[in-house]
Amino acid sequence: MILIGHVLGTNASHLCEAQDGHRLEVRTFNAFQSMQRAAQIDKIDINIASGFRDFTRQLLIWNNKWQGLRPLYSASGKLLDPATLTPEEKLHAILTWSALPGGSRHHWGTDLDVYDRPRVEQTGQKLQLVPAEYAENGPCFALNQWLDRFAADFGFYRPYQQYTGGVSAEPWHLSFQPVAEQMQNAMSCDALNDCLLRQDIEGKEVVLNQLPTIYHRYILNQGTLTERDNFTR
């Protein structure tokens, strides 16, 4: 049974231990293991970079970005100066790369970020989770191609395959569709609003004022590009 706490990241009772301390929803983990074993046959080593992330962790990320303690980037990866942004522009800059607390798919346990650990380690560089790592000549390019061909066979898809004005493209982000769809159906803008009203979230006034737009554009990821969005490009 899916509870609203599972959707909002405040209840972790639906999770199991997965890999390297990461947790996933039970059916998602079983499917991931099957996919991981199949990939190993093709010499692709799928590892979890991030799995479940609770509300508290997402809130910390959000508040640090709002306060300027973490960098802000445009959808194309350009570093932004927070001092030059209006509160609304700062809001959208954060949401391009980081989910609103309570609105992250990582709360569900059905979504995970993956990478090819041995190939990344061969570069001598730390994993950054940037598109270039999954593009041609990147250490996770072979993984990216393998997922294009086979991820759907195991029930996974990539909800952020392309940037359409909402969340930036994330080729590393997988979602276990059978359960993720149930989570999304259990979600509502009203439930998220009620949750955020009780939290010490930076930018609360602008967040709540724009929550219906945020919900459509970033949480459902149904954003569309407009001229006004050019500052984030």
Side-chain angles (χ1 to χ4, degrees), residues 77-176:
K78 178 183 177 181
L79 184 65
L80 299 173
D81 180 359
T84 67
L85 304 179
T86 67
E88 290 78 11
E89 289 173 337
K90 185 189 294 187
L91 173 82
H92 292 292
I94 296 174
L95 288 167
T96 299
W97 292 98
S98 296
L100 185 69
S104 174
R105 297 180 67 103
H106 280 282
H107 293 336
W108 305 348
T110 61
D111 286 53
L112 61 159
D113 300 331
V114 298
Y115 72 112
D116 189 324
R117 178 186 291 158
R119 286 180 170 88
V120 170
E121 290 177 345
Q122 287 171 11
T123 69
Q125 302 294 319
K126 184 178 178 180
L127 179 72
Q128 299 295 316
L129 286 180
V130 294
E133 293 172 320
Y134 296 77
E136 192 169 1
N137 298 322
C140 296
F141 179 60
L143 166 62
N144 190 22
Q145 290 188 307
W146 193 92
L147 292 172
D148 280 343
R149 294 182 61 191
F150 300 114
D153 294 345
F154 301 92
F156 289 95
Y157 79 109
R158 290 191 267 196
Y160 307 128
Q161 184 77 37
Q162 296 179 326
Y163 176 71
T164 61
V167 179
S168 182
E170 296 186 354
W172 52 83
H173 186 124
L174 297 180
S175 182
F176 185 56

Side-chain angles (χ1 to χ4, degrees), residues 15 33 49 51 54 62 71 76-77 85 96 101 107 130 135 139 159:
L15 305 176
Q33 284 190 305
D54 68 15
W62 177 274
S76 61
L85 304 179
T96 299
H107 293 336
V130 294

Side-chain angles (χ1 to χ4, degrees), residues 179-198:
V179 184
E181 285 185 348
Q182 296 177 42
M183 292 285 184
Q184 185 162 303
N185 289 337
M187 182 69 156
S188 75
C189 190
D190 287 342
L192 180 56
N193 182 81
D194 292 345
C195 177
L196 293 175
L197 279 171
R198 302 189 298 269

